[in-house]
Amino acid sequence: MMPGPTNCPMNSQQEAALLLDYCAGRLEAGAARDVERHLAECARCTEFVAGQQALWNVMNSWQAPPVSADFDRHLDGRLRETDSLLWIERVTRALRPAFARPPLALAAVCLVMAAGMLLRNPRASVAPSVDSHARMEQIEPEQVEKALDDMQMLRELSSAPSTDAASPKTL
Amino acid sequence: MDRRVKEDMGASMALDPDAELMLRVKEGDEASFALLLDKHRSSVIHFLYRMVQNRAISEELAQEVFLRVYRSRETYEATAKFTTWLFRIATHTAFNWLRDRKSERSQESLDEEGGHARHVPDRSPLVEQRMVADVRVDEIRRAVAALPDKQRAAVVMHKYEEMEYAQIAAVLSCSESAVKSLLFRAYETLRARLSHMA
Ligand SMILES: [Zn+2]
């Protein structure tokens, strides 16, 4: 390529990138020597390089502030929220066919309630005693209400547009 | 799966350790996500800071960037360098914020607000006040802020993140020659505006 004014990098914006690389110290030794030979005989490029180097020296004084100490803690909290929402979304997706058919939905609610009872009282047998059956009848309306609330919440979640997971792919 | 991805990536991509880490995140390894965060936290925040010029907002946007990375882990494919993908997300996040801000604040001038959003509290006002008080820095900041968004992103990636033309092109989804033209015009504008400071 260089030297010689006909091969001047300043003849095109594409070639001028070579001078930017030179100013940034990103050229290999051989290429940098070629540029320097050209600079020795080209006032236009010499002026460009001087101006660019001066600009970068000025720009060096703009430092970014340090990262806040609580950045990771804040992010960690939001990641946990994300995990919970993704979990609920997955459950919603898995249960969607069942919710489309009321008898199955009712069966699912009963199953969840039964599992909840067993978890709360691990000693309870599958065939409950009279006492535990009475206790179950006492809390049943409240649990059904809670399950229906949960179902409503899941329906709302499943009908809300879910774009986050796919968005970076669409960038 | 892992092996197939590596084969698709070719020899050069197989050497990208960050893509390897992200593939581990995809498999459920949270420690790899922590490593990626540790490695790229500062560069993403600093890039966003120079784009939006407010510390609190840049950190808020960086949170969104890392959340998007995490949420996308299950669909992640190592088809590009990890940092290219990361900065593509960061750049789009910044562009979106700048676009929204322009429409929200078309009546307000940069001079009035000093380039800082008022409604978001800054976590470190002392640092920011000191920087704003520095006339030299303030002038550079304004000159960069006055560039069109794409030129600004190209300059910040080239000058401050020391990225190659090819990577900037991949981040901005344009050709390498388009990036060289963007940079040439941007630096020309900055040289004219800041020459008195040299
Ligand atoms: Zn020349």
Side-chain angles (χ1 to χ4, degrees), chain A:
Chain A
M1 45 147 250
M2 298 180 289
T6 50
N7 292 322
C8 178
M10 288 301 286
N11 287 339
S12 85
Q13 292 182 356
Q14 299 302 308
E15 291 301 316
L18 186 75
L19 297 178
L20 291 180
D21 286 338
Y22 173 76
C23 295
R26 293 183 197 173
L27 289 183
E28 286 177 9
R33 272 195 299 275
D34 283 346
V35 170
E36 279 158 7
R37 269 199 296 274
H38 178 78
L39 290 176
E41 57 186 53
C42 181
R44 197 175 167 211
C45 285
T46 303
E47 190 188 347
F48 177 88
V49 165
Q52 188 63 29
Q53 282 174 335
L55 172 68
W56 279 7
N57 284 337
V58 168
M59 289 177 82
N60 282 341
S61 55
W62 185 25
Q63 296 297 313
V67 177
S68 299
D70 64 349
F71 181 86
D72 283 9
R73 192 179 50 78
H74 188 204
L75 179 62
D76 193 52
R78 293 180 71 179
L79 288 172
R80 282 173 203 282
E81 276 172 30
T82 292
D83 271 342
S84 313
L85 285 172
L86 285 178
W87 184 84
I88 292 171
E89 266 181 31
R90 273 195 209 106
V91 170
T92 310
R93 232 174 279 131
L95 293 180
R96 197 174 293 152
F99 286 135
R101 285 182 287 174
L104 274 177
L106 192 63
V109 170
C110 291
L111 200 65
V112 168
M113 281 168 49
M117 290 291 293
L118 282 170
L119 282 172
R120 278 190 187 184
N121 184 10
R123 282 175 298 172
S125 62
V126 176
S129 66
V130 175
D131 277 350
S132 63
H133 185 76
R135 200 162 55 235
M136 205 168 127
E137 277 176 348
Q138 274 179 352
I139 58 167
E140 196 173 3
E142 189 190 328
Q143 283 197 324
V144 169
E145 206 177 312
K146 170 88 172 58
L148 289 172
D149 282 347
D150 288 348
M151 281 170 65
Q152 181 60 31
M153 186 185 73
L154 290 172
R155 272 201 207 96
E156 281 168 10
L157 269 168
S158 65
S159 61
S162 169
T163 53
D164 276 336
S167 51
K169 280 250 162 202
T170 61
L171 288 171

Side-chain angles (χ1 to χ4, degrees), chain A residues 26 52 60 66 68 90, chain B residues 55 59 74 158-159 191:
Chain A
R26 293 183 197 173
Q52 188 63 29
N60 282 341
S68 299
R90 273 195 209 106
Chain B
R55 189 188 184 201
E59 292 196 1
E74 287 175 4
H158 184 251
K159 168 70 184 93
R191 279 195 307 273

Side-chain angles (χ1 to χ4, degrees), chain B residues 15-45:
Chain B
L15 295 175
D16 180 7
D18 293 340
E20 298 268 5
L21 283 173
M22 192 60 204
L23 288 172
R24 279 186 218 146
V25 176
K26 183 179 182 172
E27 287 161 9
D29 180 8
E30 290 188 6
S32 292
F33 184 79
L35 285 173
L36 283 171
L37 174 65
D38 213 33
K39 197 168 172 186
H40 300 291
R41 183 197 302 105
S42 295
S43 59
V44 168
I45 294 174

